[in-house]
Amino acid sequence: VLQKWVNREISNFDYLIQLNTMAGRTYNDLAQYPVFPWILQDYTSEELDLNNPAVFRDLSKPIGVVNEKNAKAVKEKYNFEDPLGIVDKFHYGTHYSNAAGVMHYLIRVEPFTTLHIQLQSGRFDCADRQFHSIPATWQALMDNPNDVKELIPEFFYFPEFLENQNGFNLGQLQISKEVVNDVVLPKWAHSPEDFIYKHRKALESEYVSAHLHEWIDLIFGYKQRGPAAVEALNVFY
């Protein structure tokens, strides 16, 4: 599979799906769901220019420190010594892929809606915590070193998860009073289908093809643990 990918006989998307499968990740287990990277950092421009390297996220860094400002807080957390010596050192107390995160993204489609409601003791979580906007989700990641969710494969092929086709009442945001309905898209996307098309195009772009291995090192490779993980600020609880 690696050789096929290097020879460009399979797409970046297919390579990531194969890696996830070999790593034991599967759509049948929300706790081991396939994980995909955030690949863009421009969710505000009117047009998306895939020839401009500045629109892409730095794939060599864990999502928690893509924003340099967060690196200090993350290092401080790692340097905290557990007085009882029970807890191993870590940079992040949460994980880039977990069941709640999958339900968070897929809340508008079944069976994930029902699973989310079960998780929240029989009702929807408060609106401000729902997945309601792609630009806002990215901004939250940049502002908060504790939010380290990567993406799921659906962001590259499944426009329906961005629409509230079932008409669920997801509440309204506290400050703006905006009703949470379809997911708010970046300005450069004119519809859920357009978002998926451009996002997939970005995944297969020259820039991502040249840098994807750096992210793979963090998630599936030698920077998962040990000294390389510490150096890369990539140690999870």
Side-chain angles (χ1 to χ4, degrees):
V1 173
L2 173 66
Q3 209 46 59
K4 274 187 168 173
W5 179 62
V6 170
N7 297 344
R8 303 208 171 188
E9 290 164 25
I10 59 173
S11 65
N12 292 338
F13 180 88
D14 284 340
Y15 185 48
L16 286 171
I17 283 287
Q18 300 252 23
L19 276 179
N20 272 285
T21 303
M22 285 185 247
R25 290 183 167 271
T26 165
Y27 286 104
N28 301 325
D29 182 351
L30 293 186
Q32 291 289 339
Y33 207 76
V35 57
F36 267 56
W38 283 92
I39 51 170
L40 296 170
Q41 60 176 3
D42 179 0
Y43 296 95
T44 51
S45 300
E46 300 287 341
E47 296 292 325
L48 182 64
D49 178 8
L50 295 178
N51 295 316
N52 176 7
V55 305
F56 294 97
R57 166 237 176 134
D58 182 346
L59 287 159
S60 69
K61 292 179 178 166
I63 194 69
V65 289
V66 165
N67 182 351
E68 276 292 324
K69 289 196 186 102
N70 293 341
K72 183 167 174 276
V74 163
K75 285 178 184 162
E76 278 172 6
K77 188 178 285 182
Y78 185 81
N79 290 327
F80 172 77
E81 291 283 350
D82 174 21
L84 301 172
I86 299 167
V87 180
D88 289 336
K89 292 179 158 202
F90 60 88
H91 292 119
Y92 312 102
T94 54
H95 202 249
Y96 51 76
S97 167
N98 58 36
V102 176
M103 291 179 229
H104 175 76
Y105 287 139
L106 296 177
I107 187 170
R108 289 165 180 78
V109 288
E110 290 288 15
F112 304 96
T113 312
T114 298
L115 289 166
H116 167 91
I117 290 169
Q118 285 170 357
L119 181 73
Q120 298 295 335
S121 314
R123 56 184 175 76
F124 284 113
D125 195 3
C126 77
D128 286 79
R129 285 203 291 265
Q130 306 291 20
F131 173 48
H132 72 275
S133 156
I134 292 173
T137 301
W138 175 257
Q139 198 48 53
L141 281 174
M142 291 303 94
D143 296 341
N144 179 4
N146 299 317
D147 187 354
V148 293
K149 274 193 295 296
E150 288 281 10
L151 297 183
I152 52 176
E154 282 81 353
F155 275 84
F156 300 93
Y157 67 79
F158 185 49
E160 287 80 1
F161 90 100
L162 298 167
E163 299 173 282
N164 187 14
Q165 292 184 354
N166 294 318
F168 293 123
N169 177 5
L170 299 171
Q172 57 181 172
L173 304 179
Q174 275 179 326
I175 295 174
S176 69
K177 298 294 178 233
E178 183 191 341
V179 172
V180 177
N181 193 25
D182 293 349
V183 176
V184 177
L185 303 171
K187 285 183 185 166
W188 46 258
H190 307 301
S191 67
E193 290 76 13
D194 188 48
F195 171 79
I196 296 289
Y197 171 73
K198 288 172 178 164
H199 202 214
R200 181 72 173 261
K201 212 169 165 180
L203 179 65
E204 303 302 340
S205 67
E206 201 48 55
Y207 179 90
V208 173
S209 297
H211 293 276
L212 189 57
H213 66 280
E214 297 171 349
W215 182 82
I216 290 169
D217 286 340
L218 295 167
I219 307 294
F220 299 106
Y222 77 105
K223 292 184 178 175
Q224 285 179 82
R225 50 173 63 103
V230 176
E231 196 179 335
L233 305 181
N234 194 40
V235 179
F236 291 84
Y237 175 63

